[in-house]
Amino acid sequence: MDVGIGSVLITGGAGFIGSHLAQALATKGCRVTVLDNLTSGHLENIKDFMKDITFVEGDIRDKDLLKKITQHCDVVFHQAAVVSVTKTVDDPVGSALVNELGTLAVLDAARQNNVKRVVLASSSAVYGDDPQLPKIESMPPNPLSPYAVQKLTNELYADLYNELYGMETVCLRYFNVFGPRQDPSSPYSGVISIFMRLATEGRTAVIFGDGEQTRDFVFVGDVVQANILAATGNAAGEIFNVGTGKAISVNALWALISRMAGDEQKPTYEPARAGDVMHSLAGVTKGYDRLMFQASVPLTDGLSQTLAWYRNHLTAQ
Ligand code: UD2
């Protein structure tokens, strides 16, 4: 399918979400350039379609490089970031240099080269712990970590570039994204990646708190679709949630994953993590009304695709 975008730059394109986006767009016939400094991205993620893209190893803080690679580019998908909330808590300044100044450098290079649109990865973290559900885009933000402040700052810059310079920007607030290639190696990795690894290895999970906290888990393929619609739809200057509008508890999630893996194990429980929000659920009306975006992969289908990937990947190591 031709998506009507000729040439794209994907920052963070060797990462979990960026690599899926790069693969999908290359398959659809776009000229794809991936920029990644390989801090949290991996060449392994793009090796299967490396011949169909241009890979540039580099950093979003490198203004000259950005200026060069945004030439003749129609759309920039900005996925690169310090993605760990904990890392931003430990190093608020270093992470802001990447997540704020890096983003500003991406926006500005795009402006200088008359890029038509920049789609930015934001996060449900900007909502904080407001108990009102679902979280809708018009709610006042309440950032509770440097990461959330950085993502909110990016949204403000995006809006500014749209208003002041007339360069189209769209921000996507990702909820809990999961799927193949998500890295399970840190204790703060996505819970599904951690549970997948444990289930594949026949080990049991640690659940923090009583396990009745809920999350809106969205499959990475749907996140790719949201990005494509954000790049092509009538959405300039807007912010959209990217979630499913459905939530599941961590207890139910582990039960599902361990059953799928064929080895049902009782989890162990540890005290809740500091700052953990109890419930998170995306309001999906705006995305549907404006972009016709609707997550289409049921949780169980996404989990079984993900489990298959972890099985292959972990046994191949
Ligand atoms: C997500 C985002 C984070 C930020 C935040 C905003 C991911 C990976 N992280 O954090 O970047 O946007 O939302 O609110 O999408 N858990 C366990 N056992 C484990 C690991 C996790 O019980 O081994 C629990 C954890 O305490 C939490 C839930 O599972 O209640 C989800 O954890 P997570 O780290 O996947 O994502 P979350 O929602 O804390």
Side-chain angles (χ1 to χ4, degrees):
M1 188 191 86
D2 181 4
V3 285
I5 315 169
S7 189
V8 305
L9 169 67
I10 304 173
T11 70
F16 161 47
I17 299 171
S19 66
H20 284 279
L21 187 57
Q23 187 167 21
L25 290 171
T27 306
K28 289 174 192 300
C30 298
R31 285 183 303 284
V32 175
T33 300
V34 160
L35 174 68
D36 204 300
N37 67 2
L38 302 178
T39 300
S40 56
H42 304 284
L43 287 177
E44 175 72 20
N45 287 339
I46 56 174
K47 73 168 186 341
D48 290 347
F49 53 95
M50 191 67 121
K51 62 177 189 341
D52 303 320
I53 63 168
T54 304
F55 172 68
V56 178
E57 184 173 345
D59 197 291
I60 54 169
R61 288 164 292 186
D62 184 341
K63 286 192 296 184
D64 295 334
L65 177 62
L66 280 173
K67 185 127 186 247
K68 196 166 133 204
I69 61 177
T70 49
Q71 272 172 27
H72 315 298
C73 186
D74 299 312
V75 178
V76 174
F77 294 93
H78 178 42
Q79 308 294 313
V82 174
V83 290
S84 154
V85 175
T86 325
K87 271 192 195 150
T88 71
V89 171
D90 293 345
D91 184 9
V93 177
S95 60
L97 291 174
V98 178
N99 288 353
E100 292 187 18
L101 283 181
T103 298
L104 189 54
V106 170
L107 285 168
D108 208 56
R111 174 186 71 85
Q112 291 180 55
N113 280 318
N114 299 313
V115 168
K116 289 195 197 77
R117 190 173 284 191
V118 180
V119 179
L120 297 94
S122 186
S123 168
S124 62
V126 300
Y127 291 114
D129 60 0
D130 189 327
Q132 195 187 318
L133 293 175
K135 315 276 191 194
I136 53 173
E137 293 86 344
S138 53
M139 281 168 60
N142 182 25
L144 299 173
S145 64
Y147 178 78
V149 170
Q150 291 158 8
K151 287 292 177 181
L152 185 60
T153 306
N154 292 346
E155 291 185 357
L156 294 173
Y157 272 124
D159 189 50
L160 184 76
Y161 270 70
N162 195 72
E163 294 294 323
L164 181 65
Y165 299 112
M167 183 184 73
E168 296 182 358
T169 57
V170 184
C171 296
L172 298 178
R173 290 180 178 167
Y174 298 161
F175 278 67
N176 290 65
V177 185
F178 75 100
R181 301 184 192 144
Q182 191 170 26
D183 187 349
S185 58
S186 132
Y188 291 93
S189 297
V191 65
I192 290 184
S193 68
I194 293 173
F195 282 4
M196 285 286 167
R197 175 150 86 178
L198 293 169
T200 308
E201 294 172 351
R203 294 190 287 152
T204 197
V206 174
I207 291 180
F208 300 114
D210 67 2
E212 287 307 301
Q213 67 269 41
T214 59
R215 295 291 184 273
D216 183 333
F217 293 102
V218 58
F219 187 62
V220 67
D222 281 322
V223 178
V224 166
Q225 188 56 23
N227 271 277
I228 294 172
L229 291 169
T232 53
N234 176 19
E238 297 290 339
I239 294 172
F240 297 96
N241 288 338
V242 178
T244 66
K246 298 187 189 88
I248 183 172
S249 72
V250 173
N251 283 329
L253 179 72
W254 171 249
L256 201 55
I257 292 175
S258 65
R259 202 176 315 131
M260 276 183 173
D263 186 18
E264 275 183 69
Q265 301 235 25
K266 285 222 173 319
T268 57
Y269 287 87
E270 288 187 10
R273 279 178 176 168
D276 212 12
V277 300
M278 198 57 200
H279 300 293
S280 175
L281 175 69
V284 294
T285 309
K286 183 178 178 189
Y288 185 70
D289 288 349
R290 294 290 302 268
L291 294 178
M292 289 293 286
F293 169 67
Q294 192 170 30
S296 67
V297 180
L299 181 65
T300 45
D301 292 6
L303 289 177
S304 58
Q305 286 186 52
T306 308
L307 182 62
W309 185 85
Y310 280 98
R311 278 186 163 143
N312 282 333
H313 190 77
L314 294 175
T315 48
Q317 278 181 344

